[in-house]
Amino acid sequence: MNRSIIERDQDYVWHPYSSSKPSTPPLAVASTNKHELILSDGTALIDGMSSWWCTIHGYNHPELNRAAKEQIDSMSHVMFGGLTHEPAVMLCERLVAITPDGLDRVFIVDSGSVAVEVAMKMAMQYWQALNQPNKRKVISLRRGYHGDTLGAMSVCDPVTGMHSLFEGSLTKQIFVDEPPMGFNEQNIRFYVDYLDQQLSQHKHEAAAFILEPIVQGAGGMRFYSPAILKAIRELCDRHDILLIADEIATGFGRTGKLFACEWADISPDILCLGKALTGGYMSLAATLCTKQVADTISSGEAGCFMHGPTFMGNPLACAVANMSIELLSNSKHSESNWQQNVASIERALVDHLMPLSEVSGVQDVRVLGAIGVVELDAPVDMGVIQAICTKHGIWLRPFGKLVYTMPHFNCQGKDLTRLCTAMANAIDDYLKEDIEVN
Ligand SMILES: *Cc1c(COP(=O)(O)O)cnc(C)c1O
């Protein structure tokens, strides 16, 4: 008899952040359709995860499909050293046009973690070129997440990033306390003074300050005030430290602005993009920097920036990214109403999730843009919650105590209501089941 895909998977495949023998087997997906994952047994689940923030326009979008097909018929890939092509040039032009002012140079890479590595290397080469080679460390917020490669890991939260496992191999960076929680938090003076003192103390060794603007994602799904972001921009200027904004999760509309930096009306010196860049079709990321950073690096000892991935500027991925940006920006596409769509998702999340804050077992409920987070009192039992979500017809992937969703922007109307209702009911059921067990 043929063995099932799950059995074969369990014999050979390793999944993200998993044991090689996971207690909860994965679900097998046969295909996708708009907002749904179609499992191999025919079950359709509404996707509440946008495949980790990426598929902002939903699955199998006709225009994105068309862009990929047209591009693959003309040119799938060529090396980027010494060669260039329309899809990459167009993407760089577009990214410069839509991102905050002053970011004029684009370095295209393959994944978010590499975009962060590139940002950190840019900061180091910048100070090297200015004859300040002792400025090599990066200041990072606790509870941050910036990727899984060793350099990116070194700026992730040391506790949730389990730095102790890699003692000796990770660069010791400078960690400062995470911002007080709350998009509307007014009481920030104390925190900003604390940062001022930390930056002043470390300015001689700090090349850059890296942060996720407004929303700390995979490190805890925490929102903080734009006034803090604005203050950090000023502090970085005052203390001669470059500001790296990691908008890999927040970029392309998720928080209600195209880029979260816009909430504070600031421009970073270096910006990392990824995740939703191709509308979730394939792996592509980018690191942008100011003309000053680019020119300084290029006039330094190396005379060049020391990085160049094999698949840099992949035309296929660039073509899809161009179409995804076109969908967001050209009024002939309904997706250009993304701001309205995100606002209606925010309302639906508030309506359906906020009542959970009264439920015992729930610590906090928070919503910003198309992000809805329910923080429980205790870590979630993945097997139990996954089964309950499937029963309710939705796909969520909680971590730690956090059950959260970030829907496709065009998941609206009945689909949106179904997702939000099912999520609230699933959490309710889960907490009841938990009480029965204990
Ligand atoms: C996902 C993420 C990364 C890493 O991106 P990968 O494509 O998974 O390497 C980096 N920073 C932030 C803020 C992210 O959310």
Side-chain angles (χ1 to χ4, degrees):
M1 208 182 81
N2 282 343
R3 292 186 323 132
S4 76
I5 181 170
I6 301 299
E7 288 170 315
R8 285 155 54 215
D9 177 285
Q10 298 222 294
D11 280 349
Y12 298 109
V13 184
W14 213 328
H15 285 268
Y17 285 100
S18 296
S19 151
S20 67
K21 302 203 178 352
S23 49
T24 312
L27 304 178
V29 182
S31 63
T32 51
N33 179 27
K34 235 178 145 183
H35 309 308
E36 290 178 335
L37 307 174
I38 317 295
L39 305 186
S40 51
D41 67 2
T43 310
L45 301 179
I46 292 208
D47 174 25
M49 297 302 293
S50 294
S51 282
W52 275 337
W53 316 73
C54 299
T55 51
I56 50 175
H57 309 299
Y59 297 105
N60 309 65
H61 192 286
E63 293 295 331
L64 296 174
N65 285 11
R66 191 173 57 79
K69 287 174 188 164
E70 277 179 11
Q71 186 56 44
I72 206 168
D73 282 338
S74 89
M75 167 169 71
S76 175
H77 182 66
V78 291
M79 63 187 279
F80 212 48
L83 301 176
T84 194
H85 45 77
E86 182 64 25
V89 175
M90 184 186 276
L91 179 60
C92 296
E93 280 172 346
R94 287 196 147 138
L95 290 177
V96 167
I98 64 174
T99 50
D101 286 347
L103 297 159
D104 297 323
R105 267 296 144 177
V106 186
F107 195 93
I108 309 173
V109 293
D110 350 55
S111 76
S113 301
V114 177
V116 170
E117 301 277 340
V118 162
M120 289 166 61
K121 284 171 73 174
M122 278 180 180
M124 280 172 216
Q125 272 198 251
Y126 174 82
W127 292 110
Q128 186 83 36
L130 291 175
N131 284 320
Q132 302 200 51
N134 45 333
K135 279 168 81 73
R136 306 186 68 73
K137 296 212 169 190
V138 179
I139 301 177
S140 182
L141 299 175
R142 289 185 189 277
R143 306 297 295 271
Y145 177 78
H146 298 286
D148 288 346
T149 52
L150 283 168
M153 266 185 81
S154 75
V155 287
C156 291
D157 183 90
V159 179
T160 55
M162 288 212 185
H163 282 194
S164 55
L165 288 175
F166 303 90
E167 190 78 50
S169 299
L170 284 185
T171 306
K172 282 233 179 312
Q173 308 288 13
I174 302 154
F175 286 96
V176 294
D177 290 347
E178 68 274 22
M181 196 141 75
F183 182 80
N184 295 312
E185 179 60 50
Q186 307 282 324
N187 193 3
I188 65 163
R189 197 65 255 161
F190 185 77
Y191 181 67
V192 173
D193 288 346
Y194 157 80
L195 286 183
D196 191 8
Q197 176 253 318
Q198 290 288 313
L199 267 57
S200 156
Q201 184 185 333
H202 292 288
K203 60 192 290 184
H204 65 284
E205 53 172 350
F209 190 141
I210 190 168
L211 52 75
E212 299 154 276
I214 308 298
V215 176
Q216 293 190 292
M221 305 296 292
R222 304 172 81 262
F223 311 149
Y224 63 90
S225 155
I228 290 177
L229 181 56
K230 204 169 180 63
I232 293 176
R233 170 72 277 184
E234 285 162 16
L235 291 175
C236 285
D237 284 340
R238 188 177 329 146
H239 295 296
D240 260 342
I241 294 167
L242 296 175
L243 178 61
I244 303 172
D246 177 353
E247 293 234 21
I248 292 168
T250 51
F252 302 102
R254 183 57 64 183
T255 68
K257 298 279 188 192
L258 197 53
F259 297 99
C261 283
E262 294 171 25
W263 286 112
D265 199 16
I266 60 133
S267 292
D269 301 289
I270 301 175
L271 174 71
C272 302
L273 300 176
K275 291 205 160 97
L277 177 57
T278 61
Y281 266 52
M282 50 194 100
S283 186
L284 188 73
T287 307
L288 286 80
C289 70
T290 61
K291 186 170 182 320
Q292 200 218 338
V293 169
D295 290 351
T296 304
I297 289 171
S298 308
S299 67
E301 179 192 330
C304 66
F305 178 55
M306 289 300 290
H307 205 95
T310 306
F311 282 98
M312 183 166 182
N314 176 256
L316 196 49
C318 289
V320 180
N322 280 321
M323 183 51 80
S324 177
I325 295 170
E326 170 81 11
L327 290 175
L328 291 171
S329 36
N330 186 332
S331 59
K332 88 173 193 226
H333 300 290
S334 62
E335 286 78 8
S336 66
N337 292 327
W338 63 268
Q339 220 153 0
Q340 263 163 271
N341 289 341
V342 168
S344 76
I345 292 171
E346 184 172 53
R347 278 194 302 277
L349 292 172
V350 167
D351 288 351
H352 289 89
L353 300 185
M354 279 304 173
L356 288 171
S357 46
E358 308 297 314
V359 173
S360 123
V362 174
Q363 198 170 88
D364 186 43
V365 180
R366 43 191 187 266
V367 172
L368 180 68
I371 311 169
V373 185
V374 179
E375 182 163 354
L376 306 183
D377 288 338
V380 180
D381 181 322
M382 196 70 102
V384 175
I385 193 113
Q386 186 173 297
I388 293 175
C389 286
T390 308
K391 202 177 75 199
H392 284 278
I394 55 170
W395 169 244
L396 297 176
R397 181 77 178 164
F399 71 87
K401 300 179 201 169
L402 303 168
V403 187
Y404 66 106
T405 183
M406 47 252 177
H408 305 156
F409 297 169
N410 48 10
C411 181
Q412 297 285 326
K414 268 201 247 129
D415 287 336
L416 178 59
T417 310
R418 234 180 84 198
L419 172 64
C420 295
T421 315
M423 178 171 171
N425 290 340
I427 292 171
D428 223 27
D429 283 5
Y430 172 79
L431 290 169
K432 283 194 188 113
E433 196 154 316
D434 215 32
I435 291 161
E436 277 160 29
V437 173
N438 292 330

